[in-house]
Amino acid sequence: MDGSSLAALDERITGCRACPRLVAWREEVARTKRAAFADWTYWGRPVPGFGPPDARLLVVGLAPAAHGGNRTGRMFTGDRSGDVLYAALHAVGLASQPDSVARDDGLELCGVRVTSPVHCAPPANKPTPLERDTCRPWLVQELRLLWPSLRSVVALGAFGWQSVLTALAEAGRTVPRPRPAFGHGARATLDGLELFGCFHVSQRNTFTGRLTPAMLRDVLRTAAEAAALPVEP
């Protein structure tokens, strides 16, 4: 796979049409839209990662939301999950502002990159195993390109945790067997990289209190400290 730089990788990702079901869904959503966003021109393509090419911390989710990243073209931007994530990143000093509403809103991340194992919005937020596996080479290459600077990873949810472990193994990194189990607050050291587990910032988790803003901030702060990034107390 081509990808001498993250910018080149991101450009290739946005042109991918490898999964027919996901292509059809993301483009249908972009045509029909949601009433609240009727005046938007939806992105309607795969959503690349977001953040600096020398990031020391990588946050890995699941997939773009149909009316979030699939609308705005930026990871975790334009939906309530993103509202929670970027507010927490800002609170601990890893984002320049607490809001993420559009690709041109001026948001900058500080030593952090945000990505996902699946780059297209899936129906019902559930990619198939084949779609997950088809998209994996992008994450493998992203990890390889980040490796010189990368020191820690936060996996949002069990899907992100397992995806990171599999991608690291395919990238040539040592992953222990049995694999470390996912859990909120779980931590594993993998070939010089610190992996942290965190409940996903889905509305199901944040609305019910399973994941509170304080819980999310604590994981991000610990992961940033492991990556030697300056953080707010």
Side-chain angles (χ1 to χ4, degrees), residues 131 215 218 224:
E131 290 162 351
M215 291 167 64
D218 285 346

Side-chain angles (χ1 to χ4, degrees), residues 54-75:
D54 59 350
R56 299 180 67 87
L57 169 60
L58 183 66
V59 178
V60 181
L62 192 161
H67 301 281
N70 189 57
R71 171 172 59 92
T72 63
R74 191 166 71 192
M75 284 288 174

Side-chain angles (χ1 to χ4, degrees), residues 127-207:
T128 67
L130 177 60
E131 290 162 351
R132 175 203 62 200
D133 294 348
T134 301
C135 210
R136 184 181 301 124
W138 301 122
L139 181 58
V140 171
Q141 183 67 354
E142 192 168 15
L143 287 166
R144 285 175 174 155
L145 290 168
L146 287 169
W147 198 258
S149 62
L150 191 64
R151 296 295 177 268
S152 61
V153 176
V154 172
L156 300 175
F159 189 98
W161 178 273
Q162 294 299 332
S163 296
V164 169
L165 290 174
T166 301
L168 283 171
E170 291 193 11
R173 303 301 168 178
T174 301
V175 175
R177 290 190 176 277
R179 287 185 174 185
F182 171 76
H184 182 82
R187 180 172 182 172
T189 301
L190 308 167
D191 203 359
L193 187 74
E194 297 295 317
L195 174 62
F196 297 85
C198 180
F199 291 145
H200 195 279
V201 289
S202 65
Q203 292 185 45
R204 177 181 298 177
N205 287 337
T206 58
F207 283 10

Side-chain angles (χ1 to χ4, degrees), residues 1-14 48 113 137-139 141-143 145:
M1 178 182 295
D2 175 42
S4 57
S5 70
L6 276 173
L9 180 70
D10 291 344
E11 184 175 357
R12 290 206 62 197
I13 287 172
T14 62
R113 184 170 170 89
W138 301 122
L139 181 58
Q141 183 67 354
E142 192 168 15
L143 287 166
L145 290 168

Side-chain angles (χ1 to χ4, degrees), residues 3-153:
S4 57
S5 70
L6 276 173
L9 180 70
D10 291 344
E11 184 175 357
R12 290 206 62 197
I13 287 172
T14 62
C16 182
R17 300 183 66 84
C19 300
R21 188 182 78 116
L22 297 187
V23 171
W25 172 251
R26 77 191 191 209
E27 293 180 354
E28 175 65 17
V29 169
R31 283 193 298 270
T32 58
K33 307 182 182 181
R34 178 177 283 172
F37 307 120
D39 59 342
W40 274 76
T41 299
Y42 274 51
W43 174 257
R45 288 182 278 162
V47 181
F50 169 56
D54 59 350
R56 299 180 67 87
L57 169 60
L58 183 66
V59 178
V60 181
L62 192 161
H67 301 281
N70 189 57
R71 171 172 59 92
T72 63
R74 191 166 71 192
M75 284 288 174
F76 282 106
T77 296
D79 59 46
R80 292 187 177 182
S81 294
D83 292 344
V84 174
L85 176 62
Y86 287 112
L89 286 169
H90 178 261
V92 299
L94 299 174
S96 63
Q97 61 193 46
D99 303 314
S100 182
V101 296
R103 285 165 57 85
D104 59 355
D105 61 10
L107 173 65
E108 295 182 359
L109 298 184
C110 309
V112 182
R113 184 170 170 89
V114 181
T115 194
S116 66
V118 176
H119 287 275
C120 291
N125 293 319
K126 293 182 179 180
T128 67
L130 177 60
E131 290 162 351
R132 175 203 62 200
D133 294 348
T134 301
C135 210
R136 184 181 301 124
W138 301 122
L139 181 58
V140 171
Q141 183 67 354
E142 192 168 15
L143 287 166
R144 285 175 174 155
L145 290 168
L146 287 169
W147 198 258
S149 62
L150 191 64
R151 296 295 177 268
S152 61
V153 176

